[in-house]
Amino acid sequence: MALQAALLPSTLSVPKKGNLAAVVKDTAAFLSVPQKLLQVPSLSVRAQAVATAPVATPGASTATKDGKKTLRQGVVVITGASSGLGLAAAKALAETGKWHVVMACRDFLKTAKAAKGAGMAEGSYTIMHLDLASLDSVRQFVDNFRRAGMPLDSLVCNAAIYRPTARTPTFTADGYEMSVGVNHLGHFLLARLLLDDLQKSDYPSRRLIILGSITGNTNTLAGNIPPKAGLGDLRGLAGGLRGQNGSAMIDGSESFDGAKAYKDSKICNMLTMQELHRRYHEETGITFASLYPGCIATTGLFREHIPLFRLLFPPFQKFITKGFVSEAESGKRLAQVVSDPSLTKSGVYWSWNKDSASFENQLSQEASDPEKARKLWEISEKLVGLA
Ligand code: LMG
Ligand code: NDP
Ligand code: PMR
């Protein structure tokens, strides 16, 4: 509220549940000030959303002295930017000065601390509330984002939870098994709703990125460590992933396995990216991509694993598999997929070799099965209320 007051003319009052962007726009018209010269921080009232005072309007065009237009700052939304890969990518992108990062997170204070702790410059990011374990929260986020008046040039579906030792399911607000609910269904709804916004953007390369992983691909050694990913005929998903009245696992199996649920959710992420590509790339020009950023063995993803695993996993990956990658390095990789001019190809699952050079990787048969992708799409649409 203090920030709103500071940025608005003192004669104006701020509506409690108002559209701040509209207020500022009206004010601009009244004062005959071009809107792009006004600082429009993203603020919403119902959900927490705070912009650190922007140095320039996120997403506004900038003109040089000789009147030539330069590329405006891009706006990228990253889910789960409060730790690990999401935070590292947010930092890497914000540091270039070319991107304003919207950190879409469930824990506002944690994210604020993390951004400060990572040394992200004030004004280079906005924190907005998003809890992917609630479809209402996803819709609310989209609303708040639109009210903030920023364009959307890139969306990164990065947040995830992993419950490796869980033998009983937990559920989202809508009653879906948590790993698939957060990692896949929440992102599925978010991506579908924000497609419109990406399409409206005038940014030269608009991208929608969904994190995949090696462990969801059974054409790799890592993808063959039990329990193996596998969606079967999707009967559990079609039944609503509800523990008591049906299976909480996508393949319909009776027993719950948290590690498998995560790996299954990653197959869903990779299939969704390809289905988006098939349905929308040609029509919209948006680039759809997925990636395996390397094994970032130190992140919060393993917080629920047993302490011995957390102790041994990083050295195991560093010295034995050599698949280890630091959080900073993984952040640079994801930042490349967001903004590198050479990574505009759509429908690709990116990976990096030992010299950290990107290449188009092969997905497993199941993770690239178009029929399964279509079926997954149709069931997911029903579960999130789009069909
Ligand atoms: C499942 O277990 C769980 O059941 C499930 O709940 C969930 O957590 C899921 O994917 C997550 O995992 C899978 C199980 C597979 O893995 C484990 O439980 C971890 C076991 C850790 C054992 C470390 C083995 C390291 C062996 C490396 C071999 C590479 C060859 C090296 C060549 C060297 C050349 C210089 O388990 C298995 O598939 C088989 C396990 C085989 C046990 C062998 C024991 C050797 C001990 C060596 C210690 C090395 C320390 C590394 C620790 C790594 C932790 C991952
Ligand atoms: P982290 O646990 O560090 O980060 C996960 C992020 O997701 C956190 O910000 C977390 O928020 C957020 N999150 C979890 N649940 C929700 C929710 N309900 N709503 C909103 N946000 C939520 O893990 P990583 O950085 O390792 O993982 C990032 C991505 O990278 C994931 O998609 C993962 O699958 C992928 N990946 C990771 C690999 C690795 O080796 N680590 C390998 C391959 C892929 P909070 O801080 O509040 O918990
Ligand atoms: Mg795996 C080349 C070998 C390789 C790579 C790149 C990974 C990545 N892992 C490899 C090998 C092995 N892992 C081997 C040989 C084992 C048996 C000891 C092994 C075990 C293992 C476990 C128990 N690995 C794991 C776990 C986890 O709990 C992690 C997981 O499956 O999370 C879903 C994991 C991972 N290994 C990886 C990567 C990237 C992970 C994190 C998974 C992810 O985010 O998808």
Side-chain angles (χ1 to χ4, degrees):
M1 277 301 141
L3 187 52
Q4 282 183 350
L7 285 158
L8 287 170
S10 54
T11 47
L12 271 179
S13 62
V14 181
K16 272 228 166 75
K17 271 189 201 172
N19 179 339
L20 182 67
V23 172
V24 176
K25 197 173 163 191
D26 292 349
T27 314
F30 175 66
L31 299 172
S32 325
V33 178
Q35 199 195 346
K36 67 179 176 189
L37 295 181
L38 280 175
Q39 295 189 330
V40 188
S42 55
L43 287 168
S44 80
V45 180
R46 256 186 74 186
Q48 291 166 314
V50 165
T52 54
V55 285
T57 307
S61 305
T62 47
T64 54
K65 270 190 196 148
D66 56 4
K68 275 190 200 144
K69 258 194 168 178
T70 56
L71 184 62
R72 66 167 168 80
Q73 205 181 30
V75 175
V76 56
V77 169
I78 305 180
T79 68
S82 58
S83 80
L85 175 59
L87 177 63
K91 179 178 157 70
L93 287 163
E95 265 173 11
T96 63
K98 294 178 184 161
W99 291 91
H100 184 82
V101 183
V102 175
M103 304 169 84
C105 297
R106 62 176 164 173
D107 185 333
F108 182 85
L109 283 178
K110 178 177 175 181
T111 310
K113 270 192 200 149
K116 276 218 171 77
M120 288 174 69
E122 291 219 351
S124 67
Y125 61 94
T126 300
I127 302 170
M128 294 181 92
H129 184 263
L130 168 67
D131 183 354
L132 289 156
S134 154
L135 297 175
D136 268 354
S137 173
V138 173
R139 292 183 183 279
Q140 180 76 57
F141 170 81
V142 171
D143 239 39
N144 289 328
F145 178 77
R146 288 179 182 158
R147 281 163 197 260
M150 287 182 266
L152 177 67
D153 307 315
S154 224
L155 168 64
V156 182
C157 298
N158 161 81
I161 55 149
Y162 175 39
R163 308 191 55 238
T165 56
R167 291 289 172 264
T168 50
T170 52
F171 298 95
T172 65
D174 307 275
Y176 304 130
E177 186 282 312
M178 189 65 81
S179 322
V180 175
V182 168
N183 306 358
H184 169 58
L185 292 171
H187 278 137
F188 181 82
L189 178 61
L190 182 72
R192 287 290 300 277
L193 295 177
L194 288 179
L195 261 184
D196 263 357
D197 304 70
L198 277 171
Q199 206 168 341
K200 283 184 197 140
S201 150
D202 63 349
Y203 205 70
S205 174
R206 294 148 301 139
R207 305 186 192 181
L208 196 165
I209 296 144
I210 310 179
L211 263 290
S213 181
I214 195 168
T215 55
N217 279 295
T218 49
N219 58 341
T220 62
L221 170 62
N224 279 288
I225 306 300
K228 281 207 239 179
L231 308 185
D233 62 4
L234 300 165
R235 69 177 64 179
L237 188 69
L241 289 182
R242 288 177 169 85
Q244 279 87 29
N245 314 309
S247 175
M249 299 298 293
I250 292 181
D251 64 5
S253 41
E254 273 176 32
S255 58
F256 177 73
D257 185 326
K260 182 173 186 298
Y262 169 90
K263 295 176 189 179
D264 289 351
S265 77
K266 289 287 122 185
I267 302 191
C268 294
N269 288 153
M270 295 178 280
L271 287 175
T272 300
M273 176 280 285
Q274 294 161 89
E275 192 64 14
L276 281 162
H277 167 72
R278 278 189 285 271
R279 287 176 188 244
Y280 297 107
H281 175 63
E282 232 177 75
E283 179 193 324
T284 64
I286 297 168
T287 294
F288 300 97
S290 186
L291 66 149
Y292 167 57
C295 186
I296 329 158
T298 51
T299 72
L301 194 68
F302 310 103
R303 66 188 93 173
E304 287 187 37
H305 226 310
I306 56 168
L308 184 64
F309 175 89
R310 293 209 306 273
L311 180 72
L312 293 177
F313 192 54
F316 172 63
Q317 293 293 345
K318 244 182 224 165
F319 303 116
I320 300 182
T321 74
K322 312 242 195 264
F324 181 88
V325 63
S326 69
E327 293 181 32
E329 180 58 28
S330 69
K332 284 186 204 152
R333 291 177 178 184
L334 178 50
Q336 267 175 42
V337 182
V338 170
S339 82
D340 195 302
S342 68
L343 304 189
T344 52
K345 189 166 171 191
S346 185
V348 175
Y349 167 63
W350 296 105
S351 295
W352 285 259
N353 66 20
K354 282 190 220 88
D355 305 319
S356 244
S358 59
F359 68 94
E360 283 179 41
N361 205 348
Q362 284 290 313
L363 291 158
S364 71
Q365 201 183 356
E366 182 171 27
S368 57
D369 178 345
E371 188 45 36
K372 208 162 257 196
R374 188 187 57 77
K375 205 169 162 188
L376 173 70
W377 179 277
E378 287 168 4
I379 299 171
S380 303
E381 271 190 327
K382 287 195 187 122
L383 296 182
V384 303
L386 287 174

